[in-house]
């Protein structure tokens, strides 16, 4: 490691979870990363998902939340999005370790004969593979420079005690000796529920999960306790005593007004001090990064005027399915000083068919759409809700309501335009009607029809702008091209482009071959934009994604 680095050796913080899932372990881990970064360390992260899938690409957003896409085309757990946004870094697919990936690699080695006749076992072969993997990615630069990071936050998905996570826990137990105990800190996130008429904070679940963790050979240095209200002093003391954690390392992670408050909440309770003692780094006197977070948290709490965006999707009951899209909308709403209200609309309910079946649902959906200042059709797969989305795109186009279509949303706008402006009544995507006589959106020639995992057009690809001036180019600061992340199998039918463009829907950005449509913008409309890529993945607090910012600006009546 270079002499100028603030630490002499790679520092690791391992975050595990107990009692139940969904405690916000990812946000806690990202917030710890922010504290380390504020101390001048360059921080990267690893997310371990103990499921058997090789990656999240084949998993339904319904079950598992959104599939997050990385620059290198990795389709990963949404927690990697939290890391990228909180720490302003760019990760690789190797930063998401799954059981499937680890076994795949070990089995490949076994087939190559790398184990020299040995019996291949979970211990040591799987556990060694995990440790080597962590070390390798921890040392991979992720902040846009070529510098090796100083610290790595490792989040272990699932709950301690799960059968699936056992090899990872064992690997992390061994890891403390591999890297030196002075370079690693264990943080356990647990739940402190409240029971009874006086609202007593209950410590037993946490006692049990810590006992389980200790039984597996890992002694937590910091206990982060999720609770509704701040931990009572009595609870804190009791947890320290029963869990063998120093009282100043029992941290209350109670509900706060917005997520930007979480790093500050941890800081106020001395987590940076505990970390600096545990893994050995100096805390500078001033840490401007934390001031930025305080400012951000204040801004978010003080927004008053509302902007309403309709989100026309198919997993509208589950906001995790659209996490990055929501984040990108939020980042943009902060920028235009508005409080974001998302009007969730089940696309199916906008469909004429529903009118007969369930008139109430239909009118409710249309009322919500009409009540919105702007309309967003996010990415998606499969036929459900398509006709409703097409109706929403039509409504936005005809009534000059700001519209942003992301990936599927661009394809939807194209189909709508072909049907209702060009008179191609049967226009469709071959994704929804393989035999359509008027294919407006078609399967891309290079994509596999038989293999689902990792075979889409994925990751960051450059999109040159093809026009001198347009709204979306202005929003991107008049750059000659943009680098954004992709995840799709279908594209606008290249044979229809000139016909569509001559009627006013312009494809202002195409891929490097000049063939594939990437960015669309409608003439004579306040904001009617679509991107074949997913701009939401690169949005950051304080640096909102330009297409989303454009939607918000137009939605509050600002000219672009
Ligand atoms: N289903 C469409 C395609 O594969 C859109 C994908 C998306 O929105 N991510 O091209």
């Amino acid at each position: 490691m270079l002499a100028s680095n603030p630490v002499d050796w790679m520092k690791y913080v391992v975050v595990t979870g107990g009692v139940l899932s969904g405690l916000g372990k990812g946000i806690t881990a990202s917030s710890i990363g922010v504290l380390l970064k504020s101390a001048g360390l360059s921080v990267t992260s690893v997310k371990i998902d103990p499921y058997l899938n090789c990656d999240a690409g084949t998993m339904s957003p319904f079950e598992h939340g959104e599939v997050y896409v990385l620059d290198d085309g990795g389709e990963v757990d949404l927690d990697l999005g939290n890391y990228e946004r909180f720490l302003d870094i760019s990760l690789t697919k190797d930063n998401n370790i799954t059981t499937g990936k680890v076994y795949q690699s070990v089995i490949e080695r076994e087939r190559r004969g790398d184990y020299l006749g040995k019996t291949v076992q979970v211990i040591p072969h799987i556990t060694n593979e995990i440790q080597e993997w962590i070390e390798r990615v921890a040392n991979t630069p992720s902040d846009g420079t070529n510098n090796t990071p100083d610290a790595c936050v490792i989040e272990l998905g699932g709950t301690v005690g799960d059968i699936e996570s056992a090899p990872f826990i064992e690997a992390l137990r061994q890891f403390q000796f591999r890297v030196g105990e002075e370079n690693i800190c264990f943080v356990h996130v647990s739940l402190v529920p409240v029971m009874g008429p006086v609202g007593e904070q209950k410590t037993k679940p946490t006692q049990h999960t810590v006992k389980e963790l200790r039984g597996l050979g890992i002694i937590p240095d910091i206990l982060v306790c999720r609770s509704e209200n701040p931990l009572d002093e009595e609870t804190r003391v009791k947890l320290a005593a029963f869990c063998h954690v120093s009282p100043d390392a029992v941290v209350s992670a109670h509900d706060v007004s917005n997520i930007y408050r979480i790093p500050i909440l941890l800081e106020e309770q001395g987590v940076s001090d505990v970390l600096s003692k545990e893994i050995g780094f100096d805390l500078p006197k001033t840490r401007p990064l934390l001031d930025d977070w305080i400012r951000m948290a204040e801004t978010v709490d003080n927004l008053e005027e509302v902007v309403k965006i309709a989100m026309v999707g198919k997993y509208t009951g589950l906001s995790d399915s659209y996490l990055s899209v929501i984040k990108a909308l939020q980042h943009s709403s902060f920028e235009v000083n508005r409080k974001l209200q998302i009007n969730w609309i089940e696309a199916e309910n906008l469909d004429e068919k529903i009118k007969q079946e369930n008139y109430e649902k239909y009118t409710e959906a249309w009322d919500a759409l009409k009540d919105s200042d702007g309309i967003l059709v996010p990415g998606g797969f499969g036929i459900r809700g398509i006709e409703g989305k097409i109706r929403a795109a039509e409504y936005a186009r005809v009534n000059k309501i700001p519209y942003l279509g992301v990936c599927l949303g661009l394809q939807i706008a194209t189909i709508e335009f072909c049907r209702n402006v060009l008179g191609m009544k049967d226009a469709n995507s071959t994704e929804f009607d393989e035999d359509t006589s008027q294919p407006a959106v078609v399967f891309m020639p290079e994509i596999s029809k038989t293999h689902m995992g990792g075979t889409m057009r994925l990751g960051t690809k450059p999109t040159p702008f093809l026009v001198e001036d347009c709204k979306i180019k202005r929003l991107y600061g008049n750059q000659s091209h943009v680098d954004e992340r992709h995840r799709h199998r279908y594209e606008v039918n290249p044979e229809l482009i000139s016909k569509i463009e001559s009627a006013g829907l312009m494809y202002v950005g195409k891929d490097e071959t000049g063939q594939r449509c990437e960015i669309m913008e409608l003439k004579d409309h306040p904001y009617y934009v679509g991107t074949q890529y997913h701009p939401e993945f690169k949005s950051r607090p304080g640096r909102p994604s330009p297409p989303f910012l454009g939607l918000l600006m137009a939605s509050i009546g600002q000219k672009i």
Side-chain angles (χ1 to χ4, degrees):
M1 195 160 285
L2 298 176
S4 60
N5 277 17
V7 288
D8 54 0
W9 205 250
M10 174 70 69
K11 305 294 177 186
Y12 293 94
V13 178
V14 177
V15 181
T16 53
V19 185
L20 44 85
S21 60
L23 287 180
K25 211 172 350 126
I27 296 292
T28 306
S30 310
S31 301
I32 287 173
V34 170
L35 297 187
L36 296 171
K37 190 173 170 184
S38 77
L41 275 62
S42 95
V43 185
T44 190
S45 82
V46 173
K47 170 79 198 289
I48 299 174
D49 283 306
Y51 46 67
L52 278 170
N53 306 56
C54 286
D55 60 40
T58 53
M59 297 168 86
S60 159
F62 199 70
E63 234 178 77
H64 211 80
E66 89 178 346
V67 177
Y68 191 78
V69 182
L70 299 169
D71 279 334
D72 67 358
E75 299 170 278
V76 295
D77 184 84
L78 53 79
D79 272 318
L80 275 86
N82 289 327
Y83 290 114
E84 287 205 339
R85 285 185 287 265
F86 269 59
L87 301 172
D88 200 6
I89 52 178
S90 294
L91 299 169
T92 70
K93 56 178 83 162
D94 281 352
N95 293 71
N96 193 188
I97 308 180
T98 70
T99 301
K101 278 184 190 169
V102 173
Y103 274 77
Q104 194 174 42
S105 163
V106 168
I107 290 167
E108 269 168 24
R109 282 199 198 186
E110 185 274 333
R111 293 288 82 185
R112 275 205 310 263
D114 286 5
Y115 296 113
L116 304 173
K118 288 256 183 294
T119 308
V120 182
Q121 295 178 302
V122 173
I123 304 171
H125 300 100
I126 294 292
T127 47
N128 281 351
E129 178 73 23
I130 295 167
Q131 293 178 72
E132 281 159 23
W133 195 308
I134 293 174
E135 271 194 320
R136 188 174 70 244
V137 286
N139 283 285
T140 306
S142 61
D143 63 353
T145 71
N146 284 328
N147 300 335
T148 306
D150 305 310
C152 177
V153 179
I154 304 163
E155 178 194 348
L156 176 60
T159 308
V160 166
D162 297 347
I163 290 179
E164 302 199 303
S165 60
F168 292 103
I169 295 268
E170 171 57 16
L172 291 165
R173 185 194 67 73
Q174 294 175 18
F175 198 60
Q176 58 193 319
F177 303 110
R178 185 182 181 111
V179 301
E181 285 171 281
E182 65 285 8
N183 295 316
I184 191 164
C185 174
F186 289 95
V187 179
H188 193 54
V189 183
S190 179
L191 176 73
V192 175
V194 168
M195 292 275 290
V198 288
E200 192 192 342
Q201 293 180 329
K202 294 292 196 184
T203 62
K204 263 290 152 51
T206 304
Q207 291 183 42
H208 280 295
T209 169
V210 171
K211 194 171 162 194
E212 175 127 38
L213 190 59
R214 285 164 53 90
L216 298 169
I218 291 176
I219 301 175
D221 302 296
I222 300 177
L223 209 50
V224 175
C225 303
R226 283 287 292 124
S227 60
E228 209 175 303
N229 296 312
L231 285 189
D232 300 333
E233 193 46 31
E234 199 188 328
T235 313
R236 193 190 293 266
V237 170
K238 192 167 171 188
L239 281 169
F242 280 96
C243 299
H244 189 71
V245 175
S246 148
D248 60 0
V250 179
V251 181
S252 169
H254 45 271
D255 295 351
V256 285
S257 54
N258 67 66
I259 60 166
Y260 303 102
R261 295 222 172 267
I262 297 172
I264 305 159
L265 184 70
L266 301 183
E267 172 64 20
E268 283 166 355
Q269 296 177 71
V271 173
S272 297
D273 293 303
V274 178
L275 288 169
S276 81
K277 275 189 221 121
E278 286 293 337
I279 48 180
F281 60 87
D282 292 330
L283 272 182
K285 282 207 172 54
T286 59
R287 286 187 284 157
L289 182 63
L290 288 182
D291 300 333
D292 292 348
W293 279 79
I294 293 172
R295 255 195 307 277
M296 177 69 96
E298 297 289 319
T299 308
V300 174
D301 276 348
N302 291 315
L303 297 171
E304 274 168 14
E305 244 184 290
V306 170
V307 56
K308 296 182 231 171
I309 302 294
M311 181 90 103
V312 185
K314 73 171 184 182
Y315 302 114
T316 52
L318 302 151
S319 51
D320 264 7
S321 307
Y322 298 112
L323 189 64
S324 295
V325 172
I326 298 171
K327 293 293 165 202
L329 285 173
Q330 286 173 345
H331 300 158
S332 304
S333 72
F334 306 156
E335 201 70 14
V336 298
N337 238 326
R338 290 291 194 288
K339 198 182 178 114
L340 176 69
Q341 177 186 317
I342 296 180
N343 287 347
W344 291 99
I345 299 171
E346 269 295 330
E348 264 179 319
N349 296 345
L350 295 171
D351 191 346
E352 292 303 303
K353 267 202 217 140
I354 284 284
K355 200 172 178 179
Q356 275 85 45
E357 288 167 27
N358 193 331
Y359 187 72
E360 212 175 301
K361 268 192 183 170
Y362 177 84
T363 41
E364 207 181 291
W366 274 99
D367 286 350
L369 191 74
K370 289 180 181 165
D371 176 49
S372 305
D373 305 308
I375 297 174
L376 182 102
V377 176
F381 296 83
I383 193 167
R384 185 163 73 82
I386 291 301
E387 292 304 318
K389 289 177 190 176
I390 292 174
R391 294 280 282 128
E394 178 188 10
Y395 175 79
R397 180 179 59 77
V398 173
N399 296 290
K400 300 213 185 300
I401 309 293
Y403 174 92
L404 176 63
V406 173
C407 203
L408 177 66
L410 170 142
Q411 299 173 359
I412 290 286
T414 300
I415 297 169
E416 189 280 319
F417 196 81
C418 288
R419 283 189 192 174
N420 299 326
V421 177
L422 301 180
M424 300 166 60
K425 291 283 167 256
D426 294 321
N428 212 335
S429 165
T430 55
E431 180 177 4
F432 317 126
D433 178 4
E434 228 178 320
D435 306 314
T436 174
S437 58
Q438 293 176 316
V441 175
V442 294
F443 198 76
M444 289 185 289
E446 70 268 36
I447 303 296
S448 167
K449 290 213 166 181
T450 51
H451 284 72
M452 297 302 269
T455 55
M456 285 189 238
R457 182 166 177 254
L458 288 167
T460 293
K461 319 232 177 264
T463 300
F465 278 111
L466 298 172
V467 296
E468 275 306 304
D469 184 42
C470 63
K471 292 191 186 74
I472 187 73
K473 188 173 177 183
R474 267 175 256 152
L475 285 160
Y476 273 106
N478 285 316
Q479 285 167 216
S480 60
H481 80 280
V482 297
D483 290 304
E484 297 272 19
R485 299 178 185 176
H486 296 72
R487 184 172 187 252
H488 64 123
R489 291 194 179 90
Y490 294 80
E491 63 174 326
V492 172
N493 187 349
E495 288 170 20
L496 285 180
I497 294 172
S498 59
K499 191 169 166 193
I500 297 173
E501 288 195 324
S502 58
L505 184 62
M506 310 307 290
Y507 296 101
V508 295
K510 296 211 179 106
D511 75 344
E512 281 181 309
T513 67
Q515 303 296 314
R516 179 161 289 151
C517 296
E518 289 277 11
I519 312 175
M520 66 158 228
E521 185 174 313
L522 182 63
K523 280 187 180 162
D524 305 322
H525 189 288
Y527 193 76
Y528 195 84
V529 166
T531 62
Q532 187 59 74
Y533 53 77
H534 290 264
E536 65 270 25
F537 295 130
K538 285 197 165 178
S539 189
R540 300 282 187 267
R543 231 172 43 244
S545 164
F548 284 85
L549 181 60
L551 176 68
L552 270 282
M553 288 169 69
S555 298
I556 63 166
Q558 280 183 20
K559 235 174 116 54
I560 299 155

